[in-house]
Structures are given as C-alpha cells and as structure tokens.
Amino acid sequence: MRKLLLVSTVAATALISAPFVAAQDEATGVVAYRQATMKSFGAHLGAVKVIIQEEPELIEQAGLHAQAIEGLAIVIPAMFPDGSEGPKSAALPAIWEDQAGFEAAANDMAEKAAALGEAAANGDVQAVMEAYATLGRDGCNGCHDNYRAKKN
C-alpha cells in the first residue's frame, strides 16, 4: 500500500509539474515576440506560395501579405535590444556587433517585400513569383546567413 501511495504521489507530481517544466523550455519576453514574428513571416510567405501555385486568381491578395512583411521588417532591429541574446535565441552576436549591417539587412528585406507588393498590385503572376523568390533568397536569407545561428 505504501509503495502504491508513493508511486501515485510521484506520478501526480510529474503530471502537475509537466506544464511548468515545458514552459521553462520556451522563450519569453522579446525573444518569444521576435520568434513569433519570424514565424508570421513564414506564414505570410507560405500564403503567397499557395496563391502563386494554386490560386493565381487571388494574386492581388499577395500584396496584403507583402505589406505585413514590409511593415514588420522595418522594426526588426528594435526586436533585438541589447541583452536579449541567450539560450532560447538563435540570434548571433553579429547582430549587436554589426548593428548597421543588421539594420541594412532588415531594410533590404522591407524593400524586397515592397517590390512583392507592387508586383501583386499589377496582377502579374510571373512578377510575383520572381519577387517572392528574391524576398526569400535575398531578404530572409540576408539576415539568416549572417545573423542567425544555423539549425541543427
């Protein structure tokens, strides 16, 4: 009986504390904010990809996604205040060591998103496809190549 009580207590404690342990493994504060923002970039780009590949009649709506990316790209540098590096962050020290370069990369991403929006406004699927590729290759990767730790 005593053994059963002990096992039950340990099991109950594990179940109750599991959410708290999981929460400690997740980023918080500005790191969580910027991670969510970066995921939103991926979601917007994913929506544009679907439009290009499957729903070209919605091509003008790709401009809405481009606007969201452009607006957020402009404020990327503010998402990386001093002291916000850490184990939950993939940000490299180069962000703080080369702030001018990092800001330039964010501005370049915003410009490439604006170009995507212009292509979408013109309703040219081929131009949207090219602007989409440029934004991903040069805009997103412009930061990831130099300022983000590689994924394992």
Side-chain angles (χ1 to χ4, degrees), residues 2-16:
R2 192 172 203 187
K3 207 178 224 183
L4 179 61
L5 181 60
L6 179 62
V7 169
S8 298
T9 303
V10 169
T13 303
L15 287 173
I16 291 169

Side-chain angles (χ1 to χ4, degrees), residues 83-107:
S84 66
E85 58 274 19
K88 306 291 187 248
S89 173
L92 291 174
I95 289 173
W96 297 276
E97 295 165 359
D98 178 24
Q99 289 183 339
F102 183 61
E103 288 178 15
N107 288 332

Side-chain angles (χ1 to χ4, degrees), residues 2 7 13 18 21 26 63 73 76 81-83 90 92 116 121-122 140 144 149:
R2 192 172 203 187
V7 169
T13 303
V21 173
E26 296 177 12
I76 286 174
D82 287 337
L92 291 174
L116 174 62
N122 293 329
C140 299
H144 286 197

Side-chain angles (χ1 to χ4, degrees), residues 35-152:
Q35 288 174 354
T37 301
M38 299 306 164
K39 286 179 185 174
S40 77
F41 287 148
H44 285 294
L45 287 171
V48 173
K49 182 178 179 181
V50 170
I51 290 170
I52 292 168
Q53 293 180 341
E54 300 176 29
E55 302 293 334
E57 69 277 3
L58 300 176
I59 201 68
E60 290 179 4
Q61 290 185 23
L64 298 170
H65 299 284
Q67 288 174 346
I69 294 168
E70 179 185 5
L72 289 168
I74 293 167
V75 298
I76 286 174
M79 295 181 204
F80 292 84
D82 287 337
S84 66
E85 58 274 19
K88 306 291 187 248
S89 173
L92 291 174
I95 289 173
W96 297 276
E97 295 165 359
D98 178 24
Q99 289 183 339
F102 183 61
E103 288 178 15
N107 288 332
D108 186 55
M109 181 180 178
E111 290 171 11
K112 287 177 177 25
L116 174 62
E118 290 170 21
N122 293 329
D124 184 342
V125 176
Q126 184 63 36
V128 169
M129 193 174 349
E130 291 169 9
Y132 167 85
T134 299
L135 174 57
R137 181 187 62 243
D138 300 333
C140 299
N141 287 338
C143 278
H144 286 197
D145 289 347
N146 300 311
Y147 302 105
R148 182 176 189 257
K150 306 292 184 231
K151 290 184 177 182
N152 294 332

